[in-house]
Amino acid sequence: MGKTLYLECYSGISGDMTVGALLDLGAREEALREALEALPLNGYEIRIGRTKKCGIDACDFDVILEEEAHEHHGGEAHAHEHEAEHCHDHSHDHPHTHGPEAHDHHHDHVHRHYADIMHMLDEAPLKPEVRALAKKIFRIVGEAESRVHACPLEEVHFHETGAVDSIVDIVGAAACAVDLGITETYVSTIYEGQGHVWCQHGRIPVPAPAV
């Protein structure tokens, strides 16, 4: 019999925070690493340790990109980095960078089509359950972006979500959920937030349209 996961969504959660939480629930690190090693990705390493937030002990999961020396930290600010996929605009002849108010570093964003990521997951020697869940997550994100930008799903370009650290987050979370035997997930009321965030399209209000 499968297990049920309940997510309290008051303050939001990023991909790395999800992986850390699932590891704290008992997912095996070996299962996580096995899934990530199956992906045709390089230029990164993962770090798993412990941290304390407001005196509360928790697992800390980080993706460190070798070329950029960019530590993938938890928190709402990083979660915003996953909100900027869209149909490719060929008129963009300027570097894709975030505004200085958002980050003190810049990414050379990797652009991948939805189909590219699906092909990667299909070809990787993942467990069928892990592959299916990771593909489902990407499809949900892709369909949201497709509606927001009024373009076919296959034409959606993934920027931050297509980057190495975010693929690792999603596949890692899927691997942990499968390892725990989770078959159903329920979420509380989603609080949309307020303020603004910098993304590929510039400064936009929170929640971003794709949300």
Side-chain angles (χ1 to χ4, degrees):
M1 184 175 179
K3 298 177 182 177
T4 299
L5 175 68
Y6 175 76
L7 297 175
E8 170 55 61
C9 298
Y10 177 78
S11 58
I13 190 168
S14 61
D16 54 344
M17 293 165 66
T18 302
V19 174
L22 292 173
L23 288 171
D24 261 347
L25 285 175
R28 294 175 301 123
E29 182 179 334
E30 303 81 53
L32 168 65
R33 291 186 179 276
E34 178 183 350
L36 297 182
E37 289 170 3
L39 297 174
L41 296 176
N42 51 43
Y44 79 95
E45 63 175 299
I46 63 172
R47 179 183 300 157
I48 301 174
R50 308 300 301 178
T51 187
K52 282 191 176 183
K53 301 293 184 180
C54 299
I56 300 174
D57 178 75
C59 177
D60 185 34
F61 175 77
D62 284 323
V63 180
I64 298 92
L65 302 183
E66 294 176 358
E67 293 182 357
E68 299 166 355
H70 164 54
E71 288 200 11
H72 181 162
H73 293 293
E76 293 81 0
H78 184 82
H80 293 153
E81 294 184 8
H82 296 249
E83 299 171 352
E85 304 73 37
H86 61 86
C87 305
H88 187 57
D89 184 350
H90 295 283
S91 66
H92 287 180
D93 56 1
H94 55 80
H96 290 288
T97 58
H98 293 285
E101 294 85 349
H103 301 285
D104 58 4
H105 58 269
H106 300 288
H107 290 260
D108 292 324
H109 295 295
V110 176
H111 296 185
R112 289 186 175 91
H113 281 101
Y114 170 81
D116 296 332
I117 296 175
M118 293 300 102
H119 179 73
M120 176 194 297
L121 296 176
D122 282 333
E123 294 297 312
L126 295 163
K127 291 184 177 180
E129 300 89 350
V130 174
R131 179 184 297 110
L133 182 53
K135 291 178 67 174
K136 182 177 181 180
I137 295 170
F138 271 112
R139 185 173 184 86
I140 290 171
V141 176
E143 288 177 344
E145 296 293 343
S146 175
R147 292 187 62 183
V148 168
H149 301 291
C151 65
L153 177 61
E154 60 270 18
E155 293 181 12
V156 171
H157 266 64
F158 290 80
H159 297 292
E160 285 88 345
T161 301
V164 170
D165 56 345
S166 297
I167 293 175
V168 170
D169 283 348
I170 289 176
V171 174
C176 288
V178 169
D179 189 60
L180 286 170
I182 294 169
T183 55
E184 289 186 303
T185 300
Y186 292 90
V187 300
S188 67
T189 299
I190 297 176
Y191 293 80
E192 297 177 337
Q194 59 185 355
H196 293 80
V197 62
W198 284 92
C199 72
Q200 291 286 332
H201 302 291
R203 187 171 183 262
I204 59 176
V206 174
V211 175

